Amino acid sequence: MAHRIVLIGFMGAGKSTVGPILAARLGYDWVDTDAVIQGRAGAPVTAIFRDRGEEAFRELEAEVLADLAQRTGIVIATGGGAAAQERNREFFTRGARVFHLRVSLRSVRERTGADSGRPLLSRGDAEVQRLYDERARIYEVLGSAVETDGTSPDEVAERIISLLAGPTVSRSPGEIG
Ligand code: S3P
């Protein structure tokens, strides 16, 4: 049976790098929700945050997820904040195989550099740490964890393929609290 594979994890976890590799190996379609949002908005993520605010971005993000919710035979990379939004909970808990690309904050900083095009990473160390801690808890509940620190994107894709052979773990939104 063709799966709907959803990649979650903090900014810089490698979702958009691993996604196409995984999709090619499985013969699946591939979509990056940030790219779809940018296409629909006709503007980069940074401009959407700056000109319309984070809430407008979250609304676009929720619409894109809703449109993808019935697809199978597809790998979907989601933005780091999508899984943390209560309004998107069903997308992550119904029918998808969700993988959490686990990354340390240190690797996030190494991979994203100074100008990452990610507005939330410029909010200062304390705020980024707070977001990281808050979301880590949610990612752990929603997805099967795959380590990415010191691991190549190819290896991460391979690991996901081997996990796909195992049982589906069903997640209850109540576990998030
Ligand atoms: C965000 C992550 C970004 C993008 C936006 C907000 C977040 O995606 O959706 O900047 O809230 O963590 P990546 O996780 O692909 O960087």
Side-chain angles (χ1 to χ4, degrees), residues 61-162:
E61 184 174 61
E63 282 169 23
V64 171
L65 293 181
D67 291 345
L68 293 168
Q70 306 305 323
R71 297 271 301 271
T72 54
I74 190 167
V75 176
I76 303 169
T78 61
Q85 296 285 310
E86 186 79 41
R87 69 186 110 184
N88 300 330
R89 197 94 332 139
E90 270 201 29
F91 177 83
F92 294 96
T93 54
R94 295 244 171 120
R97 295 294 304 258
V98 182
F99 295 96
H100 166 206
L101 272 50
R102 213 189 250 156
V103 63
S104 66
L105 207 40
R106 186 192 171 131
S107 294
V108 170
R109 291 301 193 190
E110 281 169 9
R111 291 178 196 175
T112 57
D115 179 20
S116 69
R118 293 171 171 98
L120 297 185
L121 284 184
S122 51
R123 285 192 183 166
D125 288 349
E127 174 61 8
V128 171
Q129 180 75 57
R130 191 196 64 74
L131 266 183
Y132 180 89
D133 293 340
E134 178 184 272
R135 290 175 177 182
R137 218 172 43 81
I138 300 171
Y139 298 147
E140 291 295 324
V141 174
L142 291 177
S144 306
V146 180
E147 294 298 339
T148 71
D149 279 14
T151 311
S152 73
D154 277 339
E155 288 167 332
V156 173
E158 278 309 317
R159 178 81 188 118
I160 291 174
I161 289 169
S162 59

Side-chain angles (χ1 to χ4, degrees), residues 9-12 15-16 32 34 45 49 54 57-58 61 78-82 117-120 135 139:
F10 205 66
M11 293 168 271
K15 296 160 293 191
S16 308
D32 180 330
D34 280 343
V45 169
F49 267 73
E54 179 172 352
F57 175 83
R58 296 298 170 202
E61 184 174 61
T78 61
R118 293 171 171 98
L120 297 185
R135 290 175 177 182
Y139 298 147

